[in-house]
Amino acid sequence: MANRSINLVLHQGSVSPHHELPQLRPANFHSFSSTWIITNGSLHVSPQRWNCSTSCCYCFRLRECRCNWKRLVRSCYTSEFVIASDENYGNKQVVSLTPRLYEYVLKNVREPEILRQLRQETASMRGSLMQVSPEQAQLLAMLVQILGAERCIEVGVYTGYSSLAIALVLPESGRLVACERDAKSLDVAKKYYQLAGVSHKVDVKLGLALDSLESLILNGEAGSYDFAFIDAEKKMNEKYFELLLQLVRVGGLIVVDNVLWHGKVADPLVYDPKTISIRNFNQKLMEDKRVSISMVPIGDGMTICRKR
């Protein structure tokens, strides 16, 4: 432990001397290039990384921590920006989405009532974290509107929050192919399609998304879709992307969710299979000249790809 680098450090005087060390889970801990030190409730930033010592409190599982750490870390959320460690970026200040600021963002999302109802029902279900956030759904719907899209595909529907947001803005003649392998969650989605009056726009495909996408290609639908959204098994992203690249027209968009993967992609200490696959996929997108890309730090991170 003596040589382990950490990022947020509490001096011994800020915590209980009997604070219990929780199980370390660096996969849940965001990495920064500088050390944040909290002393007497004040936040200090050092350009140097801090090495672990016995004077530190390592609360990697912030939600489960009951010591002063949580209270003090919350106080540092008043610093709502970060600065790139590379001086070539000109000390540009970038907004950091703290809990307080995120609440403000949510208050400025125009969420239709039917989507709010679906979100609230999904919140009590197993796997509710898979649902996209309201600001993500709003962006997806706007992209569809900007494109003037009429034919869309979604890979990974879950209970239908994002697909419903898209279907709501599609024209009456529009079509959304919704691929989902879990029948139970898909039943919830279909219920809300019906309640929203958009069932006629949604072509539900129950089963493996790869099979559904390949079937569309074999059916002669290559190059006929305007928009696609990937939010399914992360280790399959590359295969989904390649098939969608065939199905989406030139100038169309493919949006990929969870590209920041809770911050794990930027942490060199995290190397589980899903994180590695997302890192590799992100790198391949960077090098893929068939598309223009923009990685957007919204929700869990989305990359918007425009087919060239």
Side-chain angles (χ1 to χ4, degrees), residues 155-289:
V155 177
V157 174
Y158 187 43
T159 59
Y161 190 87
S162 53
S163 57
L164 180 55
I166 292 170
L168 286 170
V169 299
L170 282 176
E172 285 300 303
S173 59
R175 179 196 184 201
L176 169 63
V177 176
C179 306
E180 174 59 52
R181 67 180 181 181
D182 182 67
K184 185 175 180 180
S185 60
L186 197 55
D187 284 342
V188 178
K190 289 190 288 186
K191 178 179 75 172
Y192 278 89
Y193 298 153
Q194 185 68 36
L195 289 172
V198 298
S199 294
H200 61 289
K201 301 180 186 179
V202 185
D203 181 6
V204 174
K205 302 286 188 183
L206 175 60
L208 296 178
L210 285 181
D211 294 339
S212 299
L213 297 179
E214 289 172 349
S215 178
L216 293 176
I217 294 172
L218 292 173
N219 196 41
E221 299 185 44
S224 66
Y225 288 86
D226 306 297
F227 179 90
F229 179 48
I230 304 175
D231 186 15
E233 175 54 53
K234 308 311 168 187
K235 290 185 285 188
M236 300 293 289
N237 275 351
E238 187 174 353
K239 291 184 178 180
Y240 296 144
F241 183 78
E242 289 300 324
L243 292 173
L244 289 171
L245 205 56
Q246 296 181 55
L247 288 162
V248 170
R249 64 172 172 82
V250 172
L253 298 182
I254 302 174
V255 181
V256 187
D257 196 18
N258 302 112
V259 295
L260 296 181
W261 199 231
H262 320 301
K264 296 179 184 180
V265 290
D267 190 338
L269 297 178
V270 180
Y271 47 87
D272 63 273
K274 281 192 178 181
T275 301
I276 291 174
S277 67
I278 294 172
R279 280 198 198 112
N280 292 340
F281 178 69
N282 289 343
Q283 185 59 42
K284 287 178 180 178
L285 282 185
M286 271 290 292
E287 300 167 355
D288 196 331
K289 303 304 180 183

Side-chain angles (χ1 to χ4, degrees), residues 7 29-33 49 263 266-268:
N7 313 100
F29 198 70
H30 295 276
S31 178
F32 296 88
S33 60
R49 295 179 68 91
D267 190 338

Side-chain angles (χ1 to χ4, degrees), residues 52-197:
C52 288
S53 71
T54 55
S55 66
C56 301
C57 169
Y58 310 95
C59 295
F60 282 72
R61 293 195 296 185
L62 184 59
R63 290 182 181 177
E64 299 176 23
C65 178
R66 295 181 180 178
C67 69
N68 291 336
W69 167 275
K70 191 168 185 177
R71 175 177 58 80
L72 292 172
V73 169
R74 276 183 174 169
S75 73
C76 83
Y77 281 1
T78 56
S79 298
E80 294 170 341
F81 63 88
V82 294
I83 301 175
S85 59
D86 187 341
E87 63 182 15
N88 291 320
Y89 285 94
N91 292 322
K92 175 67 177 178
Q93 294 183 2
V94 182
V95 170
S96 177
L97 206 57
T98 63
R100 180 177 67 182
L101 189 54
Y102 184 54
E103 287 297 323
Y104 182 81
V105 169
L106 290 177
K107 289 177 181 177
N108 285 273
V109 173
R110 296 176 179 176
E111 183 181 42
E113 176 61 21
I114 190 67
L115 283 177
R116 184 190 65 79
Q117 293 174 15
L118 172 55
R119 173 171 55 80
Q120 290 180 340
E121 179 172 335
T122 303
S124 63
M125 295 176 58
R126 181 180 180 182
S128 59
L129 289 174
M130 294 190 291
Q131 180 177 254
V132 301
S133 57
E135 75 277 11
Q136 284 183 293
Q138 182 175 250
L139 176 59
L140 292 172
M142 179 172 284
L143 291 174
V144 168
Q145 290 175 304
I146 291 171
L147 272 177
E150 293 193 6
R151 292 168 62 82
C152 304
I153 303 174
E154 179 164 293
V155 177
V157 174
Y158 187 43
T159 59
Y161 190 87
S162 53
S163 57
L164 180 55
I166 292 170
L168 286 170
V169 299
L170 282 176
E172 285 300 303
S173 59
R175 179 196 184 201
L176 169 63
V177 176
C179 306
E180 174 59 52
R181 67 180 181 181
D182 182 67
K184 185 175 180 180
S185 60
L186 197 55
D187 284 342
V188 178
K190 289 190 288 186
K191 178 179 75 172
Y192 278 89
Y193 298 153
Q194 185 68 36
L195 289 172

